Amino acid sequence: MKYTQTISKLFIGILLLTFLSCAHTPKRPVEELTYRLIPQFADRFIFEEKVASDSLDFYEIESKGPKIIIRGNNDNSMAVGLNRYLKDFCLTTITWDIADSIYMPDNLPSVPSIVRGKARCQNRFFLNYCTFGYTMPWWKWDDWERFIDWMALNGINLPLAITGQEAVWYHVWKKMGLTDEEIRNYFTGPAHLPWHRMSNLDYWQGPLPLSWLKNQENLQKQIVKRERELNMKPVLPAFAGHVPQELNRVFPKAKISRLSEWGGFPDRYRSHFLDPMDSLFSVIQKEFLTEQTKMFGSDHIYGADPFNELVPPSWEPEYLSSVSRTIYESMSQVDPQAIWIQMTWLFYIDMPSWTKERVNAFVNAVPKGKMILLDYYAENKEVWRITDRYFGQPYIWCYLGNFGGNTMLAGNMKETGMRIENVFHEGGDNFTGIGSTLEGFDVNPLMYEYVFDKAWDISIPDESWIEKLADRRTGKIDPHARNAWKLLYDSIYTQPAQLGQGALTNARPSFKGHGNWTTQPYINYDNKTLLKAWGEMLQATPRNNDLYSFDVVNIGRQVLGNYFSVLRDRFTKAYIHKDKNELSRIGQQMINLLTDIDELLSTHSAFSFERWINKARQTGITDEESDYFEQNARTLLTTWGEKNQSLNDYANRTWAGLVQNYYRVRWKMFIDDAISALNEGKEFDEKAFFRKVTDFELSFTQQIGYSEVQSKRNSVETAKKMYQKYASQIAE
């Protein structure tokens, strides 16, 4: 009897636990998102779907007793409503980085009256081919999961989704008669795959391991599943004509031509292009889209970008028209609902060649509404204005904001806001959305929050928006934080990001100029103003320590990096005047400053070369693969390619480990050679130094087994120490 009672109690207990578990089990994706991000408060939110009055997304927020009710027409818009509540009422910013903790107040604030928000446009696009190389190549599912949640919170519903496409191509090329070796050699190393996908580069650091192909295939299945659950339409790739040269072995009559040189790479890395007029083109398109749909499904939106930073086989408008018409028709034959998304970076970067006549011929060979054009770098040059609004084809206004993942404070905030408002008023009926096409993450997160807020009817002045940002970054209203962000808004975030930007610390050493692959201006503001902003920020007393720590390190990194240019100019002056004592003194100051910058950076994981390398190594399933991935990861951030490659330092990062073990070493070599030359009464031998530093750069990419001990020092305390050490020197 006792045994039976015990069993009965156990059974009842199991039923009760099951009931309670079911009662708290999220029923829809936005609820699951809430449990992932703020589990301690998740049961306080109630999400209700409500039919929209028109085609635009909307949300509502209100309190009912202890519960927060969020309504919307789908999970994506409800996620935006959740984010609005967290930002405005909890002073919480959720970042895309899984390493960042999420600050929440002790109690959820109530909402005094219903808050409503509505999208101003249908499409909110995000990502750039390059982001998959400069930021994402080593991401695991936990990185992607947090990032997709961030996209949903910010209302993104049209994300570029190009992970795993090499697995699709592997099956296609295998089916068409290529060997395993030919296919995997044709692919580049993982971090360089974006430029392979854009037809810029083949074979570099191949062969791609089979384990990578399978890993990325599985990852893409998780990515698109989650994105679709949150009402996003992943933009998958389509065939744009890029083929392996070896395809001519199987199809000797195929019209395959070699594309133009790109990025300074030798001829053996040049890509090849199948003429769309060749009957083989539609065959490959069908094979690819069919295989891709089988693996990843389809939302009928495809990215295809022929001739990106390349010269077409012909500039004749008739030829350009026939290319785009054939690409679209080959898509629509497989998927009658196909819509083609085309980035228009090529129209900007080669504007003299892409005349209005040629652009018109290219875009209007596709039926109206079946092509969406991305105005890729609109904060700097709005292509829609010089192409008569893309001659009627739908387009999305995009903020780029970052090249190569460069760690530079950059962004023309006021101008960006004005341009976005102008396109809403003047962009025409074919203007369909707002987007961002950043090349790399992490340095100027405020700009992407700002741009995607503009896609919704949040009608507050920029000055108020910045104050609210300051409050969220510290977790409270703090006058010093607000003063710092106002200085940044008024004086620092005034110019768009430029190609190849970077602090002089990250450039190849020289006596004058900037030394990077580009000659763009370094900074357009007085470093004393940024120093003042840093000082104000350091006087704040935050509740949200993670974001505040990031900010004081990020601003300090830029202040000290700017000051390095002052020291370099003094070093040059001492060399010209043959002042040996001054040359040695300033040279030592430069080396000490680089060491101090590295110390500051080492206190925060967002600025860690070790993190980048470790993620790359963890991708390998054997030691050999881990070594291969590490070399690829090192190469992209330093030489980018081969010795003397023209994109050297394009992806420069002011990161702990890189500063100490790469940039500092280069500068010490330069300083030592300059001092030796002066002491020996000789002219500095620039050619000899160039050869020596180039050999060092190449050797750095081939070092394997990087290790660095993450600093245990406190970010804020270290930033205050550096401020006290250098403030008076910078203020001179």
Side-chain angles (χ1 to χ4, degrees):
M1 184 69 176
K2 289 181 180 179
Y3 178 78
T4 304
Q5 289 176 341
T6 302
I7 293 295
S8 298
K9 289 178 181 178
L10 180 62
F11 180 71
I12 292 169
I14 291 172
L15 285 177
L16 181 61
L17 285 172
T18 303
F19 172 77
L20 291 172
S21 175
C22 291
H24 291 281
T25 299
K27 297 178 181 179
R28 60 185 311 147
V30 69
E31 291 177 325
E32 293 177 347
L33 175 151
T34 308
Y35 271 85
R36 283 192 297 272
L37 298 175
I38 48 171
Q40 71 274 36
F41 291 112
D43 60 355
R44 295 279 302 279
F45 291 90
I46 296 175
F47 296 93
E48 299 177 352
E49 189 167 345
K50 183 177 178 180
V51 177
S53 59
D54 55 28
S55 62
L56 294 175
D57 293 336
F58 80 96
Y59 60 82
E60 296 175 351
I61 314 167
E62 70 170 320
S63 290
K64 281 191 177 180
K67 302 288 187 179
I68 306 298
I69 314 298
I70 299 178
R71 302 183 188 91
N73 60 304
N74 58 39
D75 286 78
N76 190 279
S77 58
M78 283 187 272
V80 177
L82 172 64
N83 199 30
R84 177 56 47 206
Y85 172 78
L86 294 175
K87 289 164 76 171
D88 288 357
F89 292 90
C90 301
L91 302 185
T92 296
T93 290
I94 296 178
T95 74
W96 49 42
D97 190 343
I98 193 172
D100 291 338
S101 60
I102 298 172
Y103 162 81
M104 288 292 288
D106 294 333
N107 298 293
L108 289 184
S110 62
V111 182
S113 59
I114 294 181
V115 175
R116 293 184 173 89
K118 187 173 183 178
R120 302 169 71 190
C121 53
Q122 289 186 337
N123 295 318
R124 283 90 65 185
F125 177 86
F126 198 48
L127 293 174
N128 181 318
Y129 286 92
C130 301
T131 326
F132 290 79
Y134 288 133
T135 294
M136 299 169 157
W138 320 117
W139 277 13
K140 309 296 187 293
W141 171 240
D142 57 353
D143 300 293
W144 273 103
E145 186 170 52
R146 173 65 170 263
F147 171 65
I148 294 169
D149 286 346
W150 178 89
M151 287 200 292
L153 292 171
N154 287 275
I156 292 156
N157 60 6
L158 205 59
L160 189 63
I162 58 174
T163 301
Q165 65 177 276
E166 286 68 39
V168 182
W169 281 119
Y170 184 84
H171 288 290
V172 171
W173 298 135
K174 207 59 178 309
K175 189 174 181 179
M176 301 197 76
L178 271 63
T179 67
D180 169 83
E181 184 180 5
E182 287 174 329
I183 299 168
R184 292 193 297 111
N185 275 323
Y186 162 65
F187 298 139
T188 65
H192 292 78
L193 281 174
W195 298 273
H196 172 78
R197 294 162 179 168
M198 290 186 287
S199 310
N200 303 131
L201 185 66
D202 293 344
Y203 310 111
W204 171 248
Q205 290 192 336
L208 198 59
L210 278 171
S211 65
W212 169 270
L213 301 181
K214 191 61 182 176
N215 170 281
Q216 296 296 293
E217 177 186 341
N218 293 334
L219 188 56
Q220 175 75 335
K221 288 175 181 176
Q222 293 176 288
I223 291 168
V224 296
K225 181 178 184 292
R226 179 61 55 78
E227 289 177 346
R228 287 171 181 142
E229 288 172 353
L230 290 165
N231 301 107
M232 303 178 197
K233 293 183 178 180
V235 179
L236 299 176
F239 178 55
H242 179 209
V243 296
Q245 180 184 8
E246 291 79 4
L247 199 63
N248 256 146
R249 176 181 62 76
V250 185
F251 299 95
K253 295 183 179 180
K255 297 176 182 176
I256 297 174
S257 59
R258 189 167 64 164
L259 290 168
S260 57
E261 175 274 338
W262 182 85
F265 278 89
D267 280 356
R268 64 182 178 276
Y269 300 115
R270 281 163 68 169
S271 296
H272 289 76
F273 182 73
L274 175 65
D275 191 326
M277 304 307 110
D278 193 298
S279 59
L280 186 60
F281 191 97
S282 60
V283 173
I284 295 174
Q285 185 76 276
K286 181 179 180 180
E287 292 289 348
F288 178 77
L289 292 182
T290 301
E291 183 69 27
Q292 179 174 253
T293 302
K294 185 170 68 175
M295 282 189 185
F296 307 135
S298 175
D299 294 272
H300 316 294
I301 301 177
Y302 305 100
D305 293 279
F307 314 135
N308 179 64
E309 297 184 1
L310 296 164
V311 178
S314 170
W315 281 113
E316 288 299 319
E318 293 80 8
Y319 174 78
L320 298 172
S321 177
S322 66
V323 168
S324 59
R325 182 185 304 110
T326 304
I327 291 174
Y328 169 71
E329 288 177 351
S330 70
M331 290 182 197
S332 62
Q333 286 167 6
V334 184
D335 182 354
Q337 300 178 62
I339 295 175
W340 174 6
I341 283 192
Q342 159 81 47
M343 62 177 175
T344 63
W345 171 260
L346 72 169
F347 301 155
Y348 160 77
I349 200 68
D350 195 8
M351 202 170 291
S353 298
W354 281 100
T355 62
K356 289 178 70 172
E357 181 186 13
R358 289 167 176 166
V359 173
N360 192 7
F362 186 83
V363 304
N364 273 323
V366 177
K368 282 287 195 293
K370 292 296 186 177
M371 172 182 267
I372 299 175
L373 297 156
L374 302 175
D375 205 343
Y376 230 58
Y377 188 23
E379 77 268 28
N380 184 52
K381 188 69 175 182
E382 293 175 299
V383 176
W384 71 269
R385 289 191 178 277
I386 58 176
T387 56
D388 299 335
R389 301 187 184 97
Y390 287 105
F391 305 105
Q393 284 286 24
Y395 69 96
I396 296 174
W397 191 102
C398 295
Y399 174 84
L400 203 163
N402 180 278
F403 292 93
N406 299 149
T407 39
M408 284 288 289
L409 297 185
N412 52 338
M413 195 166 181
K414 293 179 185 178
E415 178 68 20
T416 294
M418 288 189 292
R419 290 188 179 205
I420 290 175
E421 293 307 314
N422 288 340
V423 75
F424 271 111
H425 290 96
E426 304 168 17
D429 293 339
N430 56 318
F431 161 66
T432 67
I434 295 294
S436 174
T437 49
L438 77 175
E439 287 193 2
F441 288 0
D442 293 337
V443 186
N444 301 294
L446 82 155
M447 291 303 305
Y448 307 101
E449 283 190 56
Y450 177 77
V451 166
F452 285 114
D453 270 2
K454 288 290 185 181
W456 296 77
D457 58 354
I458 303 169
S459 54
I460 61 173
D462 282 358
E463 291 77 8
S464 299
W465 193 93
I466 282 291
E467 286 186 344
K468 287 177 176 290
L469 176 83
D471 299 343
R472 294 196 303 274
R473 302 295 291 187
T474 50
K476 57 180 278 195
I477 296 174
D478 187 292
H480 292 294
R482 285 187 168 190
N483 289 342
W485 280 106
K486 187 176 188 305
L487 279 170
L488 293 169
Y489 170 72
D490 286 335
S491 304
I492 310 303
Y493 282 99
T494 60
Q495 293 293 315
Q498 300 291 331
L499 291 165
Q501 267 182 324
L504 185 63
T505 55
N506 306 358
R508 267 186 173 172
S510 63
F511 282 113
K512 60 182 180 180
H514 194 205
N516 273 29
W517 78 281
T518 179
T519 57
Q520 293 291 347
Y522 177 32
I523 57 171
N524 66 304
Y525 54 83
D526 190 334
N527 198 34
K528 295 174 186 177
T529 304
L530 186 58
L531 175 70
K532 183 178 179 181
W534 193 26
E536 283 284 351
M537 188 77 76
L538 287 169
Q539 292 183 66
T541 54
R543 288 179 182 163
N544 185 345
N545 286 318
D546 271 15
L547 299 189
Y548 177 74
S549 295
F550 173 91
D551 292 335
V552 296
V553 172
N554 195 30
I555 296 170
R557 167 201 60 72
Q558 188 71 63
V559 170
L560 299 179
N562 294 345
Y563 180 55
F564 186 83
S565 293
V566 175
L567 294 182
R568 192 283 307 269
D569 291 346
R570 291 174 183 169
F571 185 82
T572 300
K573 184 178 179 181
Y575 177 80
I576 292 171
H577 290 134
K578 302 187 185 306
D579 189 332
K580 297 179 182 179
N581 291 334
E582 183 71 356
L583 194 69
S584 295
R585 187 180 72 84
I586 299 298
Q588 190 58 54
Q589 284 185 335
M590 294 167 70
I591 297 303
N592 292 343
L593 178 56
L594 289 166
T595 300
D596 286 340
I597 292 172
D598 194 85
E599 180 183 336
L600 175 62
L601 296 166
S602 70
T603 65
H604 201 289
S605 65
F607 304 99
S608 171
F609 184 58
E610 179 187 30
R611 185 184 182 193
W612 171 262
I613 294 299
N614 284 346
K615 278 183 171 288
R617 292 195 63 83
Q618 290 162 10
T619 305
I621 62 173
T622 66
D623 290 343
E624 184 181 12
E625 284 188 4
S626 294
D627 291 348
Y628 165 75
F629 291 134
E630 177 175 351
Q631 183 178 6
N632 185 237
R634 285 172 171 268
T635 301
L636 187 76
L637 300 195
T638 54
T639 64
W640 213 102
E642 290 195 320
K643 183 189 289 191
N644 298 331
Q645 209 275 329
S646 67
L647 291 172
N648 192 84
D649 287 330
Y650 179 91
N652 69 83
R653 315 278 172 93
T654 310
W655 280 0
L658 265 181
V659 172
Q660 183 71 1
N661 301 315
Y662 188 69
Y663 303 133
R664 181 181 177 275
V665 173
R666 292 197 306 192
W667 278 103
K668 190 172 189 311
M669 290 166 61
F670 175 77
I671 290 166
D672 289 348
D673 283 7
I675 291 172
S676 294
L678 192 60
N679 287 338
E680 295 170 11
K682 300 176 181 177
E683 286 296 316
F684 180 81
D685 190 335
E686 291 186 8
K687 291 182 179 179
F689 173 73
F690 182 82
R691 289 192 298 271
K692 183 165 70 171
V693 78
T694 301
D695 288 342
F696 163 72
E697 291 167 350
L698 183 62
S699 70
F700 185 84
T701 68
Q702 296 170 344
Q703 295 171 22
I704 298 300
Y706 180 84
S707 64
E708 166 197 335
V709 178
Q710 183 69 27
S711 172
K712 301 298 183 184
R713 289 181 287 268
N714 179 276
S715 294
V716 178
E717 291 176 359
T718 306
K720 287 179 177 178
K721 182 181 79 170
M722 298 305 172
Y723 179 86
Q724 292 166 359
K725 181 175 181 178
Y726 288 102
S728 60
Q729 299 176 42
I730 295 170
E732 288 178 356

